[in-house]
Amino acid sequence: MIKTAEEFLEKSDEKAFDLPHRKTINYNIGKYNTAVERGLSKFENLEASKKKAHVVKWRVMENLDKFLPEFESNFQRRGGKVIWANDAAEAQQEILNIIKRNNGKTVIKSKSMTTEEIHLNDFLESNQIESLESDLGEYIVQLLGQAPYHIVTPAMHLSATDIAKLFHDKFGTPIDATPPQLVQKARELLRDKYLNADIGISGGNFLIADTGSIAITENEGNARLSTTFPKIHIAIVGIEKIIPSMADLDLFWPLLASHGTGQNLTVYNTILSGPRQPNETDGPEEMYVILLDNGRTNLLAQKDQRQGLYCIRCGACLNACPVYKNIGGHTYNTTYSGPIGSVITPHLKGMEEFKHLSYASSLCGKCSEVCPVKIDIHKMLLLNRRDAAATHENGKVEEMGWGMFNRMMQKRKWMDFFGGKFKNFMLKTFFKKSWGKYREMPKVADKSFAKQWEDLKKNKDS
């Protein structure tokens, strides 16, 4: 078994029975469910909105080679600079080149999953550049030395008590500090960083083709500060984030907000179209957009599964998934966790190493049901499994096992070839550890129903 799969199973086994962890996650997701139910009720026809969003994203993915150059041209027209990065290493190097060219020493970041994807903080630190997260949740997990737990809510796995203890240990705040007091302390710590940082780095929720703009959605105002005060602003955005028109935000902003946090709209929605213009009073002197591929074209090439690129990163499928709610975000050991992460990660990072994620699903379909752009997520997981089997990524032992099972299940004589005693012996000997660790193994009858029926008929005839 691949090492990443082994680690996943070990962590899953640990987290699934960690009751304090489950209590925290269920509490936080319970609050989310209440807010989202209220938020979705504001749509006059939610299903129509989701279908429209699906069609827009379908159109984009089928014409990505046209929309991306359109965005590039319009963004450059206003003085912005576009850099294309094939993978994480290229993106890291391009960012480092910009920082060094401008003698930068400090970076302030707003929340961005693409920077997590390329492990930017670790890379900058290895090059003696301070990189500080300004989103409160990201700042908390950075202090802990952890990766974000959730696409939208990075510190979802922590209770208010956990965070109070962290701030007490790091900054000497009262051990019983309230959430407002903790937020105030974080504000005090971060304010000077906005003013003094050399470089501001952000992600982007949407790339707008017809205006050459990036749209950023947030609830704290930190993204505006991170992109306004520093002289240089670098936005790193996945190539799939493109939408055709500014008018499409009328659809996508409410869908993202309602499914992400239950709001009608998030508190701050910002559209940036390049560096500061001569008639403007604030903004960066230079602005770069790095368009990141990093395996996305691999997924785009899969006609059946390219739906995965429609994702707007609302996190709704994570909150709905019974597997995610039990094993948590860190167990996946990927940037994008939960159902959508299980769909896209094998294509972004390799089917051989991450195929196991596509099997980490009950296939209940709840993820597909809640998706605001109607990605058929549970079907995509099945297609990933199909591809793993077709390319022989499952290993010889597994293939032989399923081959024998398939052959036996197709013919009744093979199913009944061995009696119940032998089958029970096999279950206890070979499957007790994997299937019976936390449950009582089933007892197979001495004779199958078909065999019993056949014997009954013989007895009647005689």
Side-chain angles (χ1 to χ4, degrees), residues 178-243:
T178 63
Q181 289 173 327
L182 297 173
V183 171
Q184 180 58 37
K185 182 61 179 179
R187 184 180 288 121
E188 292 170 6
L189 293 165
L190 290 170
R191 283 289 169 174
D192 285 342
K193 300 295 184 180
Y194 294 120
L195 296 171
N196 298 317
D198 302 312
I199 310 290
I201 296 180
S202 75
N205 295 95
F206 302 103
L207 296 166
I208 307 168
D210 69 345
T211 60
S213 309
I214 67 167
I216 298 176
T217 295
E218 51 158 339
N219 272 315
E220 299 174 17
N222 60 296
R224 284 191 178 179
L225 294 172
S226 299
T227 59
T228 301
F229 283 121
K231 292 181 179 180
I232 310 295
H233 172 207
I234 305 169
I236 177 162
V237 190
I239 56 174
E240 82 282 10
K241 291 297 189 72
I242 200 95
I243 56 174

Side-chain angles (χ1 to χ4, degrees), residues 79-261:
K81 299 171 184 177
V82 174
I83 297 169
W84 299 73
N86 288 313
D87 54 31
E90 278 190 21
Q92 290 173 345
Q93 192 58 50
E94 291 291 352
I95 292 170
L96 183 62
N97 291 343
I98 296 168
I99 294 172
K100 286 186 172 180
R101 196 161 57 240
N102 291 277
N103 299 314
K105 296 295 182 186
T106 57
V107 167
I108 189 79
K109 283 178 70 267
S110 66
K111 185 178 182 303
S112 164
M113 293 308 293
T114 46
T115 59
E116 294 291 340
E117 182 182 338
I118 66 170
H119 307 291
L120 184 60
N121 285 341
D122 293 338
F123 174 77
L124 294 178
E125 185 180 339
S126 69
N127 285 276
Q128 292 75 53
I129 296 167
E130 179 190 358
S131 179
L132 188 69
E133 298 287 350
S134 62
D135 173 85
L136 182 56
E138 292 274 1
Y139 181 57
I140 289 167
V141 295
Q142 185 181 31
L143 289 173
L144 287 167
Q146 297 179 357
Y149 182 89
H150 188 281
I151 291 174
V152 175
T153 319
M156 179 186 272
H157 59 305
L158 301 172
S159 65
T161 304
D162 296 329
I163 299 168
K165 184 179 184 306
L166 171 67
F167 273 55
H168 172 73
D169 294 342
K170 293 282 186 180
F171 310 117
T173 54
I175 191 69
D176 58 349
T178 63
Q181 289 173 327
L182 297 173
V183 171
Q184 180 58 37
K185 182 61 179 179
R187 184 180 288 121
E188 292 170 6
L189 293 165
L190 290 170
R191 283 289 169 174
D192 285 342
K193 300 295 184 180
Y194 294 120
L195 296 171
N196 298 317
D198 302 312
I199 310 290
I201 296 180
S202 75
N205 295 95
F206 302 103
L207 296 166
I208 307 168
D210 69 345
T211 60
S213 309
I214 67 167
I216 298 176
T217 295
E218 51 158 339
N219 272 315
E220 299 174 17
N222 60 296
R224 284 191 178 179
L225 294 172
S226 299
T227 59
T228 301
F229 283 121
K231 292 181 179 180
I232 310 295
H233 172 207
I234 305 169
I236 177 162
V237 190
I239 56 174
E240 82 282 10
K241 291 297 189 72
I242 200 95
I243 56 174
S245 167
M246 181 79 74
D248 293 312
L249 290 175
D250 182 53
L251 172 67
F252 283 100
W253 266 347
L255 282 173
L256 176 58
S258 59
H259 287 78
T261 56

Side-chain angles (χ1 to χ4, degrees), residues 408 412 414-429 431 442 444-448:
M408 289 182 67
R412 171 58 62 182
W414 286 111
M415 291 177 65
D416 291 342
F417 186 79
F418 297 106
K421 288 182 180 179
F422 180 80
K423 291 175 182 175
N424 284 319
F425 170 78
M426 293 292 288
L427 285 172
K428 289 178 182 178
T429 305
F431 297 97
V444 181
D446 291 338
K447 292 183 179 181
S448 69

